[in-house]
């Protein structure tokens, strides 16, 4: 059974019945007989559908065929099932924007469809030598030719074009600068030199005199000023007085990226993503990842968001522009229809969680409390607590073979898991072939400077 459509045989029977009921001037007896037949037919149809639902065990191909009847914009395009899924994808994974959850969606999609994901050389762990500008030299040779790329990088389209197919679609996600900067300040407080030198780790103190604490040449300084712009390959310290720079940069990004998602409207973003890629609803189901504990989140006074946007004014202009275009895309689809699809997405996620974990997600715990190292998220410092999902101590479930556990596996472990499986596949397919010369040698990796957090 696909979506909400009737079984083909039942649909044909129903049409035949309606065809036989065209004469509105029949006798009253004939009318009552036909109405009785209609009632019997509908009861049998309902029983048949319920039986099929139970037989399928609740696992449906969650598409949106039902919307063809209620949403005008569905009438002209072909049904979703007739369109091939788009599989060439470059996702720019920005920092502290819910991008880890998007990455997990893409990783799982790639595995289900046997796609190759470009992954970093082992010396760079789960990032393409960030904050260096992306280069194909940073890609592990066992992960090419690639169809998907999603690990952290500093955007460089010219290099990505050397790696990916010509029909690649570029995607990214942005977050409102005030909440994003609070998250950056909390998360990288001990790793970013500009944050670490602030007395008592005070966000208020930093924003009162940002130029006093911000050092462009200090370690990981990109997290302290216009981080979104930096991740996209822009000059994060460019003068905000030069309006032509940010205007031109935004125009360039708008031409490159087919979709810029908005973190605050994550589910609505996934609706746009699904439609852009012609995916099924089941392809975008997710569980939230890489979250902080409530205690790790900083309380902001009412005046701080304005100060953050002023300090990160280039990020603010970037976000405001793409937030506006995001809503234009939703309005073009029809907000009522988007809302229905979001509801369907959330229902499907509830069913998935019940099927995978018996009714509710595994217990959330801070990283230090999770015994299973495969499920333990990376902890930036002792000053912030990142939560993950913990299984019972006696559980024998294995993330490598359990598709449900891949919903909750952190990005570092998932990257390593993918690298192992893709390396095995590469060696099996090309036992006598030398790896493509897109990366640098393992020996040279050992002498690289320590990767930024």
């Amino acid at each position: 059974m696909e979506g909400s459509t009737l079984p083909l045989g039942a649909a044909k029977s129903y049409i035949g019945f309606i065809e036989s009921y065209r004469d509105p001037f029949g006798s009253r007896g004939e009318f009552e007989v036909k109405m009785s037949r209609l009632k019997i037919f509908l009861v049998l149809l309902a029983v048949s559908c319920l039986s099929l639902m139970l037989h399928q065990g609740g696992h449906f191909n969650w598409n949106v065929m039902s919307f063809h009847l209620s949403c005008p914009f569905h009438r002209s395009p072909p049904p979703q099932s007739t369109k091939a899924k788009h599989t060439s994808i470059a996702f720019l994974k920005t920092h502290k924007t819910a991008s880890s959850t998007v990455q997990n969606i893409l990783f799982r999609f790639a595995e289900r469809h046997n796609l190759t994901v470009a992954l970093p050389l082992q010396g760079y762990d789960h990032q393409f030598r960030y904050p260096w500008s992306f280069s194909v030299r940073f890609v592990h040779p066992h992960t090419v030719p690639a169809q998907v790329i999603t690990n952290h990088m500093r955007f460089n389209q010219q290099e990505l074009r050397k790696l990916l197919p010509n029909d690649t679609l570029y995607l990214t996600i942005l977050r409102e600068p005030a909440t994003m900067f609070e998250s950056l300040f909390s998360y990288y407080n001990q790793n970013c030199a500009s944050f670490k030198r602030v007395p008592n780790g005070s966000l208020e103190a930093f924003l009162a005199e940002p130029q006093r604490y911000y050092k462009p040449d200090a370690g990981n300084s990109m997290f302290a000023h216009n981080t979104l712009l930096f991740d996209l390959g822009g000059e994060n310290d460019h003068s905000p007085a030069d309006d032509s720079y940010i205007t031109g940069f935004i125009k360039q990004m708008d031409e490159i990226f087919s979709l810029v998602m908005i973190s605050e409207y994550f589910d609505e973003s996934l609706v746009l993503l699904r439609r852009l890629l012609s995916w099924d609803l089941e392809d975008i189901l997710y569980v939230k990842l890489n979250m902080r504990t409530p205690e790790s989140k900083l309380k902001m006074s009412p005046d701080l968001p304005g100060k953050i946007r002023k300090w990160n004014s280039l990020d603010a202009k970037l976000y405001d522009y793409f937030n506006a275009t995001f809503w234009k895309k939703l309005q073009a689809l029809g907000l009522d229809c988007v809302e229905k699809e979001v509801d369907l997405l959330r229902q499907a996620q509830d069913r998935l969680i019940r099927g995978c974990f018996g009714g509710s997600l595994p217990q959330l715990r801070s990283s230090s409390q999770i015994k299973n190292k495969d499920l333990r998220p990376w902890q930036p410092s002792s000053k912030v607590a990142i939560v993950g999902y913990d299984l019972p101590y006696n559980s024998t479930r294995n993330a490598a073979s359990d598709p449900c556990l891949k919903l909750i596996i952190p990005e570092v472990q998932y990257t390593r898991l993918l690298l192992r499986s893709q390396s095995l596949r590469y060696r099996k397919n090309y036992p006598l072939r030398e790896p493509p010369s897109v990366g640098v040698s393992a020996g040279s990796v050992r002498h690289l400077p320590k990767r930024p957090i």
Side-chain angles (χ1 to χ4, degrees):
M1 180 177 181
E2 290 192 4
S4 304
T5 55
L6 300 179
L8 182 59
K12 288 181 177 178
S13 299
Y14 178 71
I15 292 170
F17 184 90
I18 295 300
E19 289 292 327
S20 71
Y21 185 68
R22 284 185 169 180
D23 182 8
F25 300 106
S27 66
R28 178 177 179 85
E30 291 175 342
F31 175 80
E32 290 175 349
V33 169
K34 290 180 178 179
M35 289 304 296
S36 297
R37 290 177 179 174
L38 177 61
K39 291 177 182 177
I40 293 171
F41 173 80
L42 292 176
V43 170
L44 291 174
L45 181 62
V47 171
S48 298
C49 291
L50 179 59
S51 175
L52 182 60
M53 289 169 66
L54 294 173
H55 175 71
Q56 293 288 336
H59 295 285
F60 296 102
N61 182 10
W62 287 87
N63 60 41
V64 290
M65 295 293 289
S66 59
F67 291 162
H68 282 275
L69 300 177
S70 59
C71 297
F73 57 88
H74 280 281
R75 292 175 183 167
S76 55
Q80 291 292 329
S81 57
T82 67
K83 296 179 66 177
K85 297 180 182 182
H86 196 89
T87 57
S88 303
I89 302 159
F91 174 65
L92 178 66
K93 189 177 186 297
T94 48
H95 287 84
K96 310 315 298 173
T97 59
S99 63
S100 293
T101 303
V102 179
Q103 181 191 53
N104 182 274
I105 291 172
L106 295 173
F107 276 169
R108 288 183 287 113
F109 179 87
E111 281 201 287
R112 286 196 305 273
H113 294 83
N114 201 32
L115 306 177
T116 299
V117 181
L119 298 172
L121 285 162
Q122 288 173 296
Y124 306 140
D125 205 359
H126 65 293
Q127 306 187 73
F128 288 104
R129 207 180 181 186
Y130 186 89
W132 291 41
S133 181
F134 175 79
S135 169
V136 294
R137 296 183 299 108
F138 306 155
V139 180
H140 196 288
H142 289 173
T143 65
V144 294
Q147 294 132 305
V148 176
I149 190 167
T150 177
N151 288 67
H152 274 305
M153 71 177 80
R154 190 178 184 202
F155 188 66
N156 183 338
Q157 189 190 26
Q158 183 177 356
E159 287 290 300
L160 286 168
R161 282 176 170 170
K162 300 177 184 177
L163 178 72
L164 299 168
N166 292 333
D167 65 344
T168 297
L169 294 180
Y170 291 84
L171 320 168
T172 191
I173 185 167
L174 306 182
R175 182 179 178 185
E176 196 283 316
T179 56
M180 176 182 168
F181 193 77
E182 179 276 322
S183 184
L184 287 166
F185 190 90
S186 167
Y187 195 84
Y188 295 110
N189 194 270
Q190 298 301 302
N191 307 106
C192 173
S194 297
F195 292 158
K196 194 172 182 179
R197 60 169 49 95
V198 181
N200 301 318
S202 168
L203 178 59
E204 290 83 355
F206 178 88
L207 292 170
E209 301 177 278
Q211 294 290 1
R212 175 182 176 184
Y213 300 108
Y214 176 66
K215 305 298 179 185
D217 297 328
N220 296 328
S221 65
M222 64 280 178
F223 295 132
H225 196 209
N226 291 313
T227 306
L228 288 175
L229 189 70
F230 183 89
D231 284 353
L232 286 164
E235 301 174 19
N236 61 319
D237 292 322
H238 196 94
S239 171
D242 182 8
D243 193 60
S244 62
Y245 171 76
I246 190 61
T247 301
F249 185 84
I250 288 173
K251 183 177 183 296
Q252 181 185 11
M253 295 300 104
D254 201 14
E255 293 171 353
I256 293 173
F257 286 91
S258 298
L259 176 63
V260 177
M261 295 179 279
I262 299 297
S263 177
E264 288 78 18
Y265 304 99
F266 192 79
D267 288 349
E268 292 82 358
S269 293
L270 292 182
V271 169
L272 295 179
L273 176 72
R274 190 197 67 77
R275 291 168 175 271
L276 173 68
L277 302 178
S278 299
W279 285 6
D280 295 324
L281 198 60
E282 63 186 7
D283 294 323
I284 59 171
L285 302 182
Y286 71 92
V287 169
K288 292 181 181 178
L289 298 173
N290 203 31
M291 300 173 291
R292 293 174 293 161
T293 61
E295 296 76 19
S296 296
K297 298 178 181 179
L298 305 176
K299 294 181 179 180
M300 294 201 294
S301 58
D303 64 321
L304 285 189
K307 291 181 178 180
I308 291 173
R309 288 179 66 90
K310 183 178 180 181
W311 170 242
N312 298 281
S313 61
L314 300 181
D315 271 5
K317 291 178 180 179
L318 192 69
Y319 174 85
D320 290 346
Y321 174 86
F322 283 108
N323 184 44
T325 60
F326 172 83
W327 281 98
K328 288 178 183 177
K329 290 182 179 182
L330 291 182
Q331 289 165 355
L333 292 179
L335 296 180
D336 289 342
C337 294
V338 173
E339 182 179 0
K340 290 178 182 178
E341 193 164 333
V342 166
D343 287 342
L344 192 59
L345 167 64
R346 292 170 181 170
Q347 292 172 32
Q349 287 187 164
D350 287 343
R351 294 174 63 88
L352 178 66
I353 290 169
R354 288 199 300 271
C356 277
F357 304 109
S360 61
L361 281 169
Q363 187 173 2
L364 275 175
R365 296 183 185 275
S366 64
S367 178
S368 59
Q369 296 176 323
I370 296 176
K371 298 180 178 63
N372 186 337
K373 64 179 181 179
D374 290 334
L375 299 177
R376 192 181 301 150
W378 182 72
Q379 192 85 6
S381 74
S382 60
K383 300 290 184 180
V384 61
I386 305 302
V387 295
Y389 300 93
D390 198 15
L391 295 175
Y393 182 73
N394 59 351
S395 174
T396 58
R397 299 178 71 169
N398 187 333
S401 58
D402 190 334
C404 286
L405 288 193
K406 288 177 181 176
L407 283 161
I408 60 174
I409 185 172
E411 63 177 302
V412 176
Q413 290 91 324
Y414 208 154
T415 297
R416 294 170 183 167
L417 184 68
L418 276 178
L419 182 58
R420 285 196 297 270
S421 64
Q422 292 186 176
S423 291
L424 288 172
R425 184 173 66 191
Y426 182 90
R427 293 188 181 103
K428 179 180 179 181
N429 293 339
Y430 310 109
L432 302 178
R433 180 185 294 186
E434 289 293 326
S437 57
V438 296
V440 296
S441 67
S444 63
V445 171
R446 287 195 293 269
H447 300 290
L448 294 173
K450 185 178 179 181
R451 110 180 132 72
I453 302 299

